[in-house]
Amino acid sequence: MKALKLAERVLFGAAAIGTVYSARTGNRRLQLVTKPAAVPVLAARVARAQTLAPEEKGLLVAALIAAGAGDHFMARSHEDRELIKGATSFGVMQVLYSAFLWRRGARPRAATASPRLGAWAAAAVAMALPKPSPVSSVLSVYGGLLSTTSTLAADPVLAPKARVSGGMVVPSADRRTWLAAGALLFSASDLAILIRRNFVTSERVRANLETFVLTSYLASQWLLVEGMTAEK
């Protein structure tokens, strides 16, 4: 079991490093290979988790399949049609993640929902400012789904003994506390995509943002899956 866990970490790490390296070097061909390889490793992690009920495994595996589809489309997100498909796939993932967290007892709280809904509203306005389009509409809906997942992931009920500071669960050795951080990183990654797409013209800055997007995305998926497969 330990050897299998180590193998999962090595494979995920290799895929993550390859993905980030491809972003830094502009090697799109390598990115098309390495980024989609990360999610199947997480799906395998979920499949062998002994802490999950069969229904929970089904939710998470389906969510990761949707994430894999999103990775495929987002690798070609310079095309509006592919970006819409990617956002839709990740939207399905967010719905399934939220369903899992709700099943675990997470609920929206004023302290956690207010800042996230405010950020979503600001992002929706920012996307519509240049020119309303089908892309901005789809991304606005996706942002709402992401805010829901982030709000639920931040509920302290998911990690009852965790320390809470400023309405945020503080990460610790208890892997359940990683959920809030994972969802926050996911939000940061998607916000960087929005900034890069709508407001940045410098190729150097765009490359740096792409590196951040991929690094934070992969880290967030790892933290979320580790948190959701942790002992209750």
Side-chain angles (χ1 to χ4, degrees):
M1 187 66 71
K2 288 184 178 179
L4 188 56
K5 188 173 183 179
L6 177 61
E8 288 171 352
R9 289 179 174 176
V10 169
L11 289 172
F12 184 86
I17 291 171
T19 300
V20 173
Y21 174 79
S22 69
R24 292 301 301 172
T25 59
N27 189 332
R28 298 289 294 176
R29 184 174 297 179
L30 177 62
Q31 185 177 329
L32 290 174
V33 174
T34 55
K35 188 183 179 187
V39 167
V41 176
L42 296 179
R45 170 80 178 89
V46 168
R48 71 173 185 82
Q50 299 178 350
T51 55
L52 300 175
E55 297 81 4
E56 292 175 329
K57 283 189 180 183
L59 283 172
L60 292 188
V61 169
L64 290 167
I65 290 173
D71 286 338
H72 171 78
F73 295 126
M74 291 301 288
R76 300 160 177 80
S77 60
H78 56 284
E79 301 175 18
D80 284 356
R81 183 174 59 180
E82 300 303 303
L83 180 59
I84 290 173
K85 291 178 181 178
T88 301
S89 299
F90 279 115
V92 172
M93 182 205 74
Q94 298 295 353
V95 169
L96 293 169
Y97 275 174
S98 291
F100 177 94
L101 296 170
W102 187 277
R103 180 185 171 90
R104 283 289 176 94
R107 297 293 184 271
R109 316 286 178 185
T112 54
S114 299
R116 289 163 175 81
L117 290 176
W120 167 52
V125 171
M127 282 186 288
L129 281 179
K131 184 180 179 182
S133 68
V135 171
S136 61
S137 298
V138 170
L139 292 181
S140 294
V141 172
Y142 169 75
L145 298 175
L146 172 59
S147 296
T148 301
T149 300
S150 183
T151 298
L152 293 176
D155 190 350
V157 75
L158 295 170
K161 297 181 180 180
R163 185 164 68 89
V164 179
S165 178
M168 179 76 178
V169 174
V170 179
S172 68
D174 181 351
R175 289 187 293 129
R176 294 175 299 176
T177 63
W178 300 359
L179 286 167
L184 192 62
L185 266 180
F186 215 119
S187 299
S189 178
D190 285 349
L191 178 60
I193 292 175
L194 169 64
I195 293 172
R196 185 193 63 198
R197 177 180 173 82
N198 287 6
F199 304 106
V200 176
T201 56
S202 166
E203 287 303 318
R204 180 178 179 182
V205 176
R206 287 174 66 87
N208 289 335
L209 280 173
E210 176 70 3
T211 301
F212 174 78
V213 165
L214 294 171
T215 302
S216 54
Y217 165 71
L218 292 167
S220 69
Q221 287 284 36
W222 178 266
L223 290 171
L224 286 167
V225 169
E226 285 292 302
M228 287 187 281
T229 56
E231 292 278 359
K232 297 180 185 179

